[in-house]
Amino acid sequence: AEAKPDVVVDATGPFQAYGDSPYRIVAACIAHGIDYIDLADGAEFVAGIASFDAAARQRNVFVLSGASSFPVLTAAVVRALSPGMTRLDTVTGGIAPSPYAGVGLNVVRAIAGYAGKPVDLVRDGKPAKGYALTGTIRETIAPPGRLPLKNTLFSLVNVPDLRVLPALWPQLRAVWMGAGPVPEILHRGLICLAWLVRWRLLPSLSPFAGLFHRVINVMRWGEHRGGMFVRVSGADAEGPVERSWHLLAEGDDGPLIPSMAAAAIVLRGLDGKRPEAGARPAAGDLDLGDYDRMFAGRTIRTGTRTERPGDTGLPLYRRMLGDAYETLPPAIRRLHDIDGPVRFAGRATVERGRNPLARLVGAMIGFPGAGEDVPVTVDFTAIDGKERWRRTFAGKSFSSLQEEGAGRSARLLVESFGPAAFALAVVVEGGKLNLVLRRWSAFGIPLPLWLAPRNNAFETEEDGRFRFHVEIGHKLTGLIVRYRGWLDKS
């Protein structure tokens, strides 16, 4: 009453622990004719906000709850992905924060409070129960053409989406939302404790919230990157289809995203687009385009993918890159548009490492000998969505098999040289196609990345001609092989 604000934004929480009178701030705002927004992530709290609708309308104020990534951004993404779909069956989503995001104590208190407790959700088209943190999936967040996050473990969280999305899309048969904190070893420890609550061996994890908060903000390692995904499945005029939206946030930009919905609502109001009076979850008050203004100028990148079950009709790289494929120079696209046996020929320069171990590795794989202006041919064969590449330098050949990865190598290109397999991110940047090593294995056994060979592989176009550069080495051997040159269709 003394401050007379235009709007109050409650970003405190945990909203699950607001006690016997959780809507005191809401009631005070309505009584004083003040607009209200909160960043609540508590499903019950957000659902209960509708009881204030009549009072808010009478005072001509808006009361918007849950103005955060869950459920406002997720609902905006579902609206953006669903046009043209004749049937919308499932929505699955998750947030993977950077390990350096600096998770607040109240966020930890909220998660600890519901870990292992029953969660209301929709499964098989019916109301059902899940248990927070004990249900898990794995997902690779990968906007087409960008360096993806590492494959991440997500566990079920009790967020408003589980109730809000089925209310907005009643035909949904299942909704699932998760969080994927890293390092994964800490996440798995939290999941184990949640199971103790589910089995009633512990009453709650709330007493441990302070300890959890200290641990996760001290034991931090990995890439300083975060992300989010939303996947919808159903059907369109062509049949079953799955569409997904992926977001990557580099460095310190990720932790800003949860507050962007509230900021966008305020900015819309300043632009004369004040939300309609009434009390409701905020999921219908922003569209994905409203976030563009918030993402601008930050290292936040998004992209969408469309996939059909068992569809291997498109060439491998087109499937991997989606819309990003069209941003590649024509010469690169010509080489990768493989629909049958095809040969490209050109010239190359080859360098070989002098270390005896490097020579041994090169000989085992069949890498070519050193030389200048070496004639080279590459024979491509497409087989059931995979591609066999046979490279011949001055009559000496070696080959590899390329295919889409699965499991922890999902969204990656897996190239196999005999028993060794390398999972590569296909990254498009500045008209260049880069192949970045993310995982590797030998004889099917995953190996640590710090032991992996060093690679620098990319494709470019120069004077309308396809050019390649491949460099492979190892910290124990130095350079193994470097070959670069050009190719034209033979």
Side-chain angles (χ1 to χ4, degrees), residues 368-388:
E372 297 283 342
D373 197 32
V374 176
V376 56
T377 61
V378 182
D379 292 287
F380 301 91
T381 306
I383 311 168
D384 297 328
K386 306 175 184 180
E387 293 179 3
R388 174 73 64 181

Side-chain angles (χ1 to χ4, degrees), residues 297-320:
R298 304 193 181 279
T299 53
I300 298 174
R301 306 289 183 263
T302 65
T304 60
R305 295 179 177 273
T306 300
E307 296 162 305
R308 299 184 184 279
D311 183 11
T312 58
L314 291 175
L316 176 61
Y317 281 71
R318 278 192 178 272
R319 297 199 312 272
M320 296 287 301

Side-chain angles (χ1 to χ4, degrees), residues 53 93 135 155 218 223 267 333-334 392:
D53 186 56
S155 56
V218 172
E223 299 175 325
L267 288 172
R333 297 201 306 271
R334 281 196 299 271
T392 303

Side-chain angles (χ1 to χ4, degrees), residues 33-34 106 151 284 356 392:
I34 299 168
N106 279 346
N151 184 260
T392 303

Side-chain angles (χ1 to χ4, degrees), residues 182-237:
V182 290
E184 187 171 310
I185 188 171
L186 298 182
H187 186 190
R188 287 190 174 276
L190 183 59
I191 292 170
C192 290
L193 292 173
W195 274 100
L196 294 181
V197 175
R198 178 174 176 177
W199 291 334
R200 299 184 180 180
L201 298 176
L202 282 176
S204 171
L205 299 186
S206 292
F208 306 104
L211 175 62
F212 295 158
H213 178 250
R214 289 191 294 273
V215 169
I216 64 176
N217 284 292
V218 172
M219 297 182 66
R220 303 187 293 187
W221 63 85
E223 299 175 325
H224 191 10
R225 317 170 71 216
M228 179 175 178
F229 80 96
V230 177
R231 182 173 65 246
V232 302
S233 67
D236 61 12

Side-chain angles (χ1 to χ4, degrees), residues 227-450:
M228 179 175 178
F229 80 96
V230 177
R231 182 173 65 246
V232 302
S233 67
D236 61 12
E238 298 180 36
V241 65
E242 182 177 283
R243 299 175 182 173
S244 59
W245 174 89
H246 302 253
L247 176 148
L248 286 176
E250 306 290 346
D252 294 325
D253 283 341
L256 303 177
I257 296 174
S259 64
M260 286 181 176
I265 291 167
V266 171
L267 288 172
R268 282 174 60 92
L270 292 172
D271 290 340
K273 302 174 184 176
R274 183 176 178 274
E276 179 185 343
R280 59 190 177 276
D285 284 83
L286 291 178
D287 288 318
L288 199 52
D290 294 309
Y291 278 89
D292 293 340
R293 181 176 182 178
M294 311 305 299
F295 294 162
R298 304 193 181 279
T299 53
I300 298 174
R301 306 289 183 263
T302 65
T304 60
R305 295 179 177 273
T306 300
E307 296 162 305
R308 299 184 184 279
D311 183 11
T312 58
L314 291 175
L316 176 61
Y317 281 71
R318 278 192 178 272
R319 297 199 312 272
M320 296 287 301
L321 287 171
D323 292 344
Y325 189 83
E326 298 303 327
T327 67
L328 288 170
I332 298 178
R333 297 201 306 271
R334 281 196 299 271
L335 182 130
H336 288 291
D337 278 338
I338 299 172
D339 57 2
V342 63
R343 169 174 288 187
F344 278 71
R347 315 293 290 189
T349 297
V350 182
E351 302 170 62
R352 290 288 297 271
R354 298 181 179 180
N355 184 291
L357 185 57
R359 290 185 175 277
L360 176 62
V361 171
M364 290 173 60
I365 295 176
F367 288 142
E372 297 283 342
D373 197 32
V374 176
V376 56
T377 61
V378 182
D379 292 287
F380 301 91
T381 306
I383 311 168
D384 297 328
K386 306 175 184 180
E387 293 179 3
R388 174 73 64 181
W389 291 35
R390 182 177 178 83
R391 306 161 180 87
T392 303
F393 292 79
K396 185 174 183 180
S397 300
F398 69 100
S399 64
S400 66
L401 181 69
Q402 296 188 1
E403 60 187 306
E404 286 186 81
R408 296 201 180 194
S409 296
R411 312 288 186 192
L412 300 176
L413 176 76
V414 177
E415 184 165 22
S416 300
F417 296 86
F422 301 89
L424 305 158
V426 186
V427 180
V428 178
E429 188 174 13
K432 181 190 296 186
L433 190 152
N434 300 276
L435 297 173
V436 182
L437 183 63
R438 300 294 275 175
R439 303 183 75 243
W440 75 301
S441 64
F443 298 98
I445 302 171
L447 298 172
L449 198 57
W450 60 269

